[in-house]
Each structure stands twice: as C-alpha cells, then as structure tokens.
Amino acid sequence: FGVSGKSVRFLHPRDRENAEPITIEAEAWFGAGVIVLGNVTVGMGSVVGAGSVVSKSIPPYTVAAGNPCRPLKRVFSDEALINHVAELTKDNSLAQKVLARRQHDLRAMNLSELPVIDKTDLYWETRPHQ
C-alpha cells in the first residue's frame, strides 16, 4: 500500500520486497495456531505456546507465550543446558554458544531471572525400566 495512483487491490510485491526473514532453529516446538511475524528468530529448543503471536525473537531454550509472545521460563538451568546441547550435538562449543546467547538475550529483555523448568527426573521415573 501507499503507492500514489494505485489501488491496494492491484498492488503486488515484486522480488520479495515485502518478505522479511523468519528463522526457526533446531528443536523448536510450536503449539497450535501460532503466528510468527517477519524479522524473527525462534531460538534452538524453544517452546512457543498455542495461539501466541511472535513479534520479537525468542531466546534459545525458553518457554514463551502470549500476544505479544514473551519468554516465561527457561528450559534447563545453565549447567543442564550445556550438558543437554552437548549431548544432542556432540559439540561442546555449540553448547557454550547457545547458553551465551540465551543469557545475553534474556539480560537484554531484563528477564535473566526467569524460573527454570526441567522435567528430566520426572520423565525417567515414569518410564518403564528396560
């Protein structure tokens, strides 16, 4: 819109002029009906609650929800996060980078003290022994 002499009905983007990048990193999970706007990165291992509108980037390994979507909890403590990512990827330097990015992003949002969710023990307690 906003083109003098042209009706909005007849305007069409050319060469992706209105396209904004959306990056969804590995292990991210979305509930039903999530809307992700452009210029957003959903970090590795993040969980986005159903019906959320993601208008800003979500740090790695956080649980986020709402409209606008915002981080509510950290998935794993810092130490557990390093162990988890290193075990998944077999790359300790990547684990350190993911943790550093989460810490930086949450500090920038004044959310560095979010509660932690870690259901590892509960999962293994309820699994049948093999």
Side-chain angles (χ1 to χ4, degrees):
F1 65 92
V3 176
S4 179
K6 286 287 191 180
S7 169
V8 171
R9 294 176 295 155
F10 301 110
L11 291 175
H12 301 283
R14 290 184 317 209
D15 300 324
R16 300 177 49 85
E17 65 186 351
N18 290 339
E20 296 175 330
I22 296 171
T23 303
I24 300 171
E25 295 180 347
E27 302 291 321
W29 184 88
F30 293 82
V34 172
I35 297 170
V36 182
L37 303 181
N39 285 330
V40 164
T41 297
V42 177
M44 180 180 191
S46 293
V47 177
V48 179
S52 296
V53 178
V54 183
S55 58
K56 294 183 180 178
S57 293
I58 303 299
Y61 286 93
T62 58
V63 175
N67 181 7
C69 189
R70 61 187 175 81
L72 303 173
K73 294 183 180 184
R74 292 177 290 154
V75 179
F76 302 125
S77 67
D78 291 350
E79 183 179 320
L81 175 59
I82 288 174
N83 293 336
H84 173 73
V85 174
E87 190 172 324
L88 281 181
T89 65
K90 309 298 184 223
D91 184 347
N92 195 50
S93 65
L94 176 61
Q96 294 289 339
K97 289 176 188 175
V98 169
L99 173 61
R101 193 169 117 221
R102 179 175 79 173
Q103 290 173 332
H104 173 269
D105 292 354
L106 290 175
R107 252 193 320 275
M109 297 173 173
N110 293 319
L111 297 172
S112 54
E113 297 301 317
L114 286 178
V116 172
I117 186 168
D118 185 341
K119 296 185 177 185
T120 305
D121 292 340
L122 177 65
Y123 177 82
W124 290 114
E125 287 175 9
T126 61
R127 303 292 296 174
H129 295 285
Q130 298 184 16

